[in-house]
Amino acid sequence: MIFKDFSENELYLFMNGKLIYKRWLDTGVSKVFDVMAYDKYTLASIKEPRNENGLLIVKARIKLTPTENGGRKSGIISGYRPNHVFKYTPEGKLCQTYIGDINFEGENVMPGEERIATVRFLLVKELEQYLTKGRKWWLHEGPNIIGDAEVL
């Protein structure tokens, strides 16, 4: 059972009576309290205050999956934050997702298109091993793969 509650400036999300997510509406900062709630293993929020050393920044080629192949119906804009997946279990389940925002110049990137972008990840020690030139990863919205990326 999922329950939402609002105060003056805060959104709370409860699952089975347990607080799992909080968002401060004026700043956009959010915090995940129960990382196992949605089978999503994200450990922090990209909007949490951090210094410049708190981010891993890479150039990447982003390609969105065409709509007819199960991709999004609409494009994405600069600042979009999908789940980034570098590894799956042998059964095909996500091992871990990472938070990173995609930033590019110009118009929206539409399904089926590709664009060079800057991707900023929250600094998570395990993530560094994946960010080598030529490494590919997948972009997810929940369980759906909506594109892929490659470190340039």
Side-chain angles (χ1 to χ4, degrees), residues 18-74:
K18 184 176 177 186
L19 178 65
I20 60 167
Y21 178 82
K22 181 177 179 180
R23 181 177 201 94
W24 290 266
L25 301 174
D26 62 342
T27 63
V29 174
S30 62
K31 181 74 175 174
V32 176
F33 291 97
D34 184 355
V35 297
M36 300 299 285
Y38 293 110
D39 198 26
K40 178 179 173 185
Y41 304 106
T42 302
L43 303 175
S45 167
I46 193 79
K47 289 262 189 162
E48 287 179 351
R50 297 198 175 264
N51 62 28
E52 199 60 51
N53 295 328
L55 297 174
L56 292 169
I57 301 171
V58 297
K59 282 284 188 201
R61 177 177 293 111
I62 305 295
K63 183 175 182 184
L64 294 184
T65 304
T67 303
E68 56 272 10
N69 294 347
R72 292 173 53 94
K73 293 179 183 172
S74 61

Side-chain angles (χ1 to χ4, degrees), residues 3 7 22 40 48 64 71 86 88 103 105 107 122 138:
F3 174 72
S7 71
K22 181 177 179 180
K40 178 179 173 185
E48 287 179 351
L64 294 184
F86 290 85
Y88 295 91
N103 297 285
E105 298 288 326
E107 300 293 317
L122 289 175
W138 299 270

Side-chain angles (χ1 to χ4, degrees), residues 23 46-47 62 76-84 99-109 115 117-120:
R23 181 177 201 94
I46 193 79
K47 289 262 189 162
I62 305 295
I76 64 170
I77 61 172
S78 190
Y80 177 68
R81 293 184 304 223
N83 294 322
H84 299 264
I99 291 181
D101 62 358
I102 299 171
N103 297 285
F104 51 86
E105 298 288 326
E107 300 293 317
N108 295 357
V109 178
R115 179 90 42 94
T118 301
V119 182
R120 299 180 315 152

Side-chain angles (χ1 to χ4, degrees), residues 86-102:
F86 290 85
K87 189 174 162 186
Y88 295 91
T89 67
E91 298 81 30
K93 294 184 179 185
L94 308 177
C95 286
Q96 181 161 346
T97 63
Y98 297 94
I99 291 181
D101 62 358
I102 299 171

Side-chain angles (χ1 to χ4, degrees), residues 91-147:
E91 298 81 30
K93 294 184 179 185
L94 308 177
C95 286
Q96 181 161 346
T97 63
Y98 297 94
I99 291 181
D101 62 358
I102 299 171
N103 297 285
F104 51 86
E105 298 288 326
E107 300 293 317
N108 295 357
V109 178
M110 299 303 290
E113 295 180 347
E114 71 176 54
R115 179 90 42 94
I116 304 300
T118 301
V119 182
R120 299 180 315 152
F121 292 100
L122 289 175
L123 182 59
V124 177
K125 188 148 184 74
E126 309 87 56
L127 178 61
E128 293 179 75
Q129 66 182 319
Y130 299 123
L131 298 179
T132 57
K133 187 174 181 176
R135 174 65 190 234
K136 293 188 178 191
W137 76 92
W138 299 270
L139 307 174
H140 277 252
E141 284 183 350
N144 303 320
I145 298 175
I146 56 118

